[in-house]
Amino acid sequence: MTETAIAEHGLIGDLQTSALVGTDGSIDWYCCPRFDSPSVFGALLDEHRGGRFRVCPTGTAYTTRQMYYPDSAVLITRFHAEQGVGEVVDFMPPAGEIATGRHRLVRMLRCVRGRMSFGIEVAPRFDYGRRAHTTDVTESGAVFSAGQLALTLHTVREPEDERLARVRVEDGDMRAGLDLVAGQVRGMILESGADGPPREVRVADFQRLFDETVRYWRSWLARCTYLGRWRQVVARSAITLKLMTYAPTGGLVAAPTMALPEQVGGERNWDYRYTWVRDASFSVYALLALGFSGEAERFGVWLGDRIRERAGGAGGPLNIMYRVDGSTDLKEEILDHWSGYRGSRPVRLGNGAAAQLQLDIYGEALDSVFVGDRAGLEIPYRGWLAIREVLDWLAERWDQPEEGIWETRGGRRPFTYGRLMSWVALDRGIRLAMAHGRPAPLERWTRERDAIYEQVMRQGWNEDRQAFVQHYHTEVLDAALLRMPTVGFVAPRDPRWLSTLDAMDAELVTDSLVYRYNPEASPDGLRGQEGTFSLCTFAYISALARAGRLEHARQVFEKMLTYANHVGLYSEEIALTGEQIGNFPQAFTHLSLIDAALTLDDALDGPTGPATGR
């Protein structure tokens, strides 16, 4: 298989959808008109049947470099050849906060030095390659149509410039050539929802789109209040998270991709283009800590809507994940006609874990509400009523088996992390009610909160391992429990916690990288292995910092930064070879990076280390 490596991509987007651009100048992943819409370009999952939009030099050997235009989401791919240097500047103008079918992929071609001949290939594969399309070429561009969705290719040129050369259409794919000399700028805009036929765009208008997009991102990033040691790294993570936020609702997708494997050739290939309550709740901490209160408030509204929609339902007040618009149709199916990334099958569309019972999400949700409340994000009357219903439901049902945070498919168990976060949910609800004098059954909530605490301390603790374990019937460790001191359940230097941290060092940590758990020791219903989980590594850094192990924490953090790709992005996991695997980029990893940077900064700056709890 010849799919471009996962990490050999940069991310661009318009706050409603996004695209991955390879270092070879190929757009290998693009869904339209939303993150969770069917793909148009999917070469990342099937080199031959996925479709792509590629621009690269022809007739010469070349090397490539890729970078982001400073403080922006504008991506530059440079080609270095013997006869010259050229570049493709890729970006998507922000689409705004109203859902729209109009999205623009802008590709600016420039010859920087000497001369360069570019080859252009536009090969869409609508609906994951399941829908045929027609192609109509004009002097000003082309239109690719499949049912109700059409993509219009506008060309960029001055009146005196030659049009695209060597244009031909084969099986609906358009190929063309473009010869440039130093100083010349041309390009293309691929637009969905276009009004009218293809048109020629002048270079000045093209440049104006570029300037406006850069200005948007720099204006947004200027609101960031973080001035710590790792500002550039944190800023890139913040931009990445913004790129994965669906502006019309405030929902944050776990990743903009689907079916990228946790083990190359394995079956752990999930669709992550949805909003997980857990992941998005974590975004509230990061966004508020960086000064982005508007984004945090917007997600709070999204979460409140979900709570009010389902409060008191038989299946629980919340699903673990939703589509970006809040709908719940995530039926899982297999795309048999795609080979998968480097042969990793099945290629899964949708996510069958959506119906799982995962009790920890209530803790993450209520903790984010609590943090938001302390930052001045008010809880309205209807919001409090919905929260109260959630906590009443949880108070009755926390003591039951569930599927757990990692969405395993090996059956329900009494997971320690689920109990831990149920404690968090009730604890935060009690604090909110007391702080604002809100009506609540405080005696009952307090009784259940304390019962959870006592149960975790008795049954979640394993005397033989001298550690807190994954669930009550195992000796397996679980990196999810690295959050125990963060949420204030245990003091970060409590002997029990330090002993747990030592046990994790021995079992889950390999050269600073952290596995989430050992699937061989804890069967999860799936075949194969997986890489280390990058979000767990950053959580490990935070735990080390809180425990006062600052030199170790800083060393692990700096080492982890070397595993980012060339533009500072992280996928879900890191394979034994050091390559990035899993869906890319992963929001949870970038959220954990921000949390680790903030925690480590506080610990290094403060005389007594970071504060306990939130």
Side-chain angles (χ1 to χ4, degrees):
M1 295 299 170
T2 56
E3 286 80 22
T4 302
I6 292 168
E8 291 297 312
H9 291 87
L11 179 72
I12 61 173
D14 66 1
L15 311 184
Q16 294 190 18
T17 187
S18 63
L20 292 181
V21 185
T23 52
D24 61 352
S26 177
I27 294 178
D28 292 330
W29 186 253
Y30 175 53
C31 299
C32 187
R34 302 190 324 197
F35 293 106
D36 54 1
S37 296
S39 67
V40 174
F41 302 125
L44 191 59
L45 292 178
D46 193 306
E47 169 78 11
H48 303 292
R49 292 178 290 270
R52 59 157 39 95
F53 182 0
R54 179 161 51 192
V55 176
C56 63
T58 60
T60 183
Y62 61 88
T63 59
T64 68
R65 300 288 187 274
Q66 200 173 61
M67 61 171 282
Y68 278 109
Y69 199 77
D71 294 338
S72 80
V74 175
L75 190 68
I76 302 173
T77 306
R78 298 200 115 199
F79 302 100
H80 299 258
E82 186 174 342
Q83 68 270 36
V85 177
E87 63 184 25
V88 181
V89 181
D90 287 302
F91 61 94
M92 297 181 69
E97 295 185 353
I98 298 177
T100 177
R102 189 188 184 206
H103 303 276
R104 293 169 290 175
L105 278 170
V106 181
R107 315 206 72 182
M108 179 186 293
L109 280 64
R110 177 186 289 117
C111 184
V112 180
R113 297 174 59 190
R115 61 176 55 86
M116 184 158 287
S117 296
F118 288 95
I120 300 164
E121 177 188 11
V122 187
R125 297 293 182 268
F126 292 86
D127 189 24
Y128 309 105
R130 297 180 296 190
R131 183 183 290 272
H133 69 276
T134 60
T135 301
D136 296 313
V137 176
T138 73
E139 289 188 345
S140 301
V143 178
F144 307 89
S145 301
Q148 295 182 338
L149 182 60
L151 297 177
T152 303
L153 185 73
H154 310 290
T155 58
V156 178
R157 60 183 289 271
E158 297 300 327
E160 64 274 13
D161 291 339
E162 292 184 5
R163 291 187 169 88
L164 292 178
R166 305 182 294 280
V167 178
R168 66 187 190 279
V169 176
E170 299 176 0
D171 297 326
D173 300 341
M174 190 193 89
R175 292 174 175 82
L178 183 63
D179 301 324
L180 298 180
V181 297
Q184 282 189 310
V185 176
R186 300 282 295 280
M188 296 153 289
I189 300 174
L190 188 67
E191 182 178 14
S192 65
D195 296 327
R199 66 185 186 277
E200 292 183 348
V201 179
R202 299 297 170 241
V203 173
D205 295 329
F206 208 39
Q207 184 66 43
R208 188 159 44 250
L209 273 179
F210 170 85
D211 293 339
E212 290 172 355
T213 301
V214 170
R215 188 160 49 248
Y216 170 85
W217 285 106
R218 289 185 170 175
S219 175
W220 180 81
L221 190 60
R223 294 161 45 200
C224 181
T225 57
Y226 175 75
L227 299 175
R229 294 169 177 78
W230 297 282
R231 190 179 187 282
Q232 187 173 357
V233 172
V234 168
R236 179 51 53 195
S237 287
I239 291 174
T240 303
L241 293 172
K242 181 69 170 176
L243 282 170
M244 290 191 281
T245 301
Y246 184 64
T249 64
L252 174 76
V253 296
T257 56
M258 56 176 270
L260 291 177
E262 296 176 11
Q263 178 189 26
V264 174
E267 68 169 335
R268 301 167 185 262
N269 318 316
W270 315 112
D271 190 346
Y272 273 19
R273 300 169 301 152
Y274 309 114
T275 299
W276 266 253
V277 169
R278 177 187 307 109
D279 303 31
S281 293
F282 274 97
S283 72
V284 174
Y285 318 140
L287 292 169
L288 286 174
L290 299 182
F292 298 112
S293 57
E295 284 77 5
E297 183 174 11
R298 195 156 181 79
F299 171 72
V301 172
W302 183 93
L303 179 61
D305 289 342
R306 304 292 81 75
I307 293 174
R308 286 190 292 272
E309 287 169 359
R310 296 275 319 276
L318 289 171
N319 284 357
I320 69 169
M321 70 182 88
Y322 298 83
R323 288 191 175 275
V324 292
D325 62 357
S327 60
T328 57
D329 179 19
L330 283 79
K331 181 181 178 181
E332 189 172 301
E333 58 180 297
I334 306 300
L335 298 181
D336 288 324
H337 62 291
W338 273 5
S339 62
Y341 176 79
R342 291 167 56 188
S344 303
R345 304 183 72 181
V347 177
R348 288 188 173 92
L349 163 64
N351 201 309
Q356 287 189 354
L357 177 65
Q358 297 180 15
L359 294 175
D360 69 280
I361 66 172
Y362 299 101
E364 279 110 11
L366 265 294
D367 202 19
S368 71
V369 171
F370 177 73
V371 170
D373 177 77
R374 291 203 306 183
L377 305 182
E378 297 180 352
I379 303 172
Y381 171 70
R382 288 184 60 221
W384 176 251
L385 293 182
I387 288 171
R388 196 171 65 185
E389 286 190 56
V390 167
L391 292 178
D392 285 342
W393 180 92
L394 185 63
E396 290 183 3
R397 296 169 175 83
W398 64 264
D399 193 15
Q400 61 177 309
E402 40 128 3
E403 272 89 3
I405 180 176
W406 303 125
E407 296 166 15
T408 58
R409 302 195 177 188
R412 295 184 175 183
R413 297 186 177 95
F415 284 102
T416 306
Y417 185 73
R419 301 297 195 269
L420 164 72
M421 297 310 292
S422 295
W423 176 90
V424 170
L426 290 164
D427 179 74
R428 302 318 189 244
I430 292 166
R431 293 199 208 184
L432 287 168
M434 294 179 67
H436 298 290
R438 298 291 173 87
L442 290 178
E443 183 178 345
R444 181 188 179 207
W445 290 359
T446 302
R447 183 176 65 250
E448 297 303 323
R449 179 198 64 181
D450 295 348
I452 297 171
Y453 182 88
E454 297 291 350
Q455 186 187 90
V456 169
M457 285 299 186
R458 290 195 316 270
Q459 300 184 55
W461 172 259
N462 186 287
E463 284 290 340
D464 293 334
R465 297 302 308 272
Q466 285 293 292
F468 292 101
V469 290
Q470 185 178 66
H471 60 80
Y472 296 169
H473 306 143
T474 187
E475 293 186 352
V476 172
L477 304 179
D478 191 333
L481 297 177
L482 287 164
R483 284 184 48 76
M484 293 184 84
T486 304
V487 298
F489 186 88
V490 63
R493 304 183 193 190
D494 184 295
R496 277 194 167 195
W497 176 246
L498 294 179
S499 176
T500 299
L501 202 52
D502 290 339
M504 289 186 181
D505 282 336
E507 180 171 305
L508 300 182
V509 181
T510 171
D511 188 35
S512 80
L513 302 176
V514 181
Y515 290 98
R516 54 182 182 170
Y517 60 93
N518 182 354
E520 290 184 348
S522 178
D524 55 15
L526 297 163
R527 296 188 301 274
Q529 297 296 306
E530 59 187 18
T532 56
F533 258 58
S534 295
L535 73 93
C536 293
T537 303
F538 286 118
Y540 174 61
I541 293 163
S542 295
L544 289 172
R546 290 177 182 277
R549 301 175 180 180
L550 297 186
E551 280 300 316
H552 190 190
R554 186 165 189 173
Q555 178 189 16
V556 174
F557 188 79
E558 293 288 356
K559 186 180 290 186
M560 189 58 186
L561 295 183
T562 69
Y563 284 99
N565 82 340
H566 56 285
V567 287
L569 304 183
Y570 289 88
S571 67
E572 184 178 15
E573 302 184 24
I574 296 171
L576 188 62
T577 61
E579 71 173 310
Q580 296 206 41
I581 54 176
N583 284 298
F584 173 87
Q586 193 202 31
F588 213 157
T589 296
H590 285 276
L591 288 166
S592 296
L593 182 156
I594 292 170
D595 184 66
L598 294 171
T599 302
L600 192 50
D601 266 322
D602 287 346
L604 292 169
D605 292 339
T608 59
T612 302
R614 294 201 177 276

